Amino acid sequence: MSLTYIVDGYNLIKRTPCFDHDVLRSARSALFSYLEVFRPHGSLKNKLVVVFDSKGDCFDYREEHSFEVAFTNGETADDKIKSIVSLSSQPRGIVVVTDDKQLKSAVRSCGARVMACAEFLKKGRSPEEKQAGFFNAGELDGKGALNIVQKEKITEELGRIWLKKK
C-alpha cells in the first residue's frame, strides 16, 4: 500500500538547523533539495505534499519537483493539513510529519499516523550512507557537520574539477 506523507513545511525547517536560513526562500530550497535527493518518503509510489503557511510572494511559486508543494490561502498550514486528513477516505494511509503537538493530536484523532521531523529526515539515508555517517546527527542538530546545501556546492565544485568544466 502506498502512503501519503504530508509535511508541515515551516515546522520542519524551524526544527532543523541545516534548513533554517534567514531567507525563507533559501530555507525552502534547501529542504526541497534534500527531499529530491534523499527521498525520505521512500518509494516512488508514495506521495509527498509539503504544506506552508502562505506569504504574499509565494502565490507565483512555479518550481517543478517530484512532490507537491502547497501554500495556504486564508488558512494556516496546520488547518490545511487537518482538512486534508479529515477529508481523506483513507486517513490511515497518511503520515503527517510535524513536531507540533496540537497538530499531532488532531490528525491522530482522524486516523492518520504522525512522524517526528528528525525521524522523517533520517529515513532518507541509505544503509551505506548510515554506515558512512553521510548525513549524521550533527547535521540535524547543527553541531558543525556539513549541511545539504554545503554538500551540494562541494559536489558541483568537484564535478567541475573532475569533468574539467568551467
Side-chain angles (χ1 to χ4, degrees), residues 24-153:
L24 289 178
R25 188 177 302 267
S26 297
R28 290 189 304 261
S29 181
L31 173 60
F32 296 162
S33 294
Y34 178 84
L35 296 173
E36 289 286 1
V37 172
F38 293 98
R39 297 195 51 79
H41 52 291
S43 167
L44 293 173
K45 294 180 182 178
N46 292 339
K47 181 178 179 179
L48 175 63
V49 181
V50 185
V51 181
F52 294 100
D53 294 306
S54 70
K55 299 285 181 190
D57 66 335
C58 296
F59 291 112
D60 64 349
Y61 180 82
R62 298 286 182 256
E63 288 182 29
E64 293 293 322
H65 297 286
S66 63
F67 50 87
E68 183 180 335
V69 177
F71 288 97
T72 62
N73 186 7
E75 64 184 332
T76 66
D78 290 3
D79 289 340
K80 177 76 171 176
I81 293 168
K82 290 175 199 174
S83 175
I84 293 169
V85 172
S86 68
L87 294 173
S88 172
S89 62
Q90 304 239 332
R92 295 201 191 293
I94 297 175
V95 179
V96 175
V97 178
T98 188
D99 287 337
D100 182 300
K101 291 179 184 179
Q102 290 179 331
L103 180 56
K104 285 180 181 182
S105 177
V107 297
R108 276 190 184 125
S109 71
C110 293
R113 302 179 218 179
V114 174
M115 182 177 288
C117 295
E119 181 183 350
F120 175 71
L121 293 173
K122 287 179 183 178
K123 285 181 54 146
R125 298 179 297 160
S126 70
E128 296 80 22
E129 290 164 340
K130 289 177 188 175
Q131 185 79 21
F134 182 67
F135 187 74
N136 62 37
E139 290 173 272
L140 295 176
D141 63 20
K143 294 183 180 166
L146 293 174
N147 66 42
I148 189 70
V149 174
Q150 292 166 322
K151 287 180 181 176
E152 285 179 10
K153 287 180 181 177

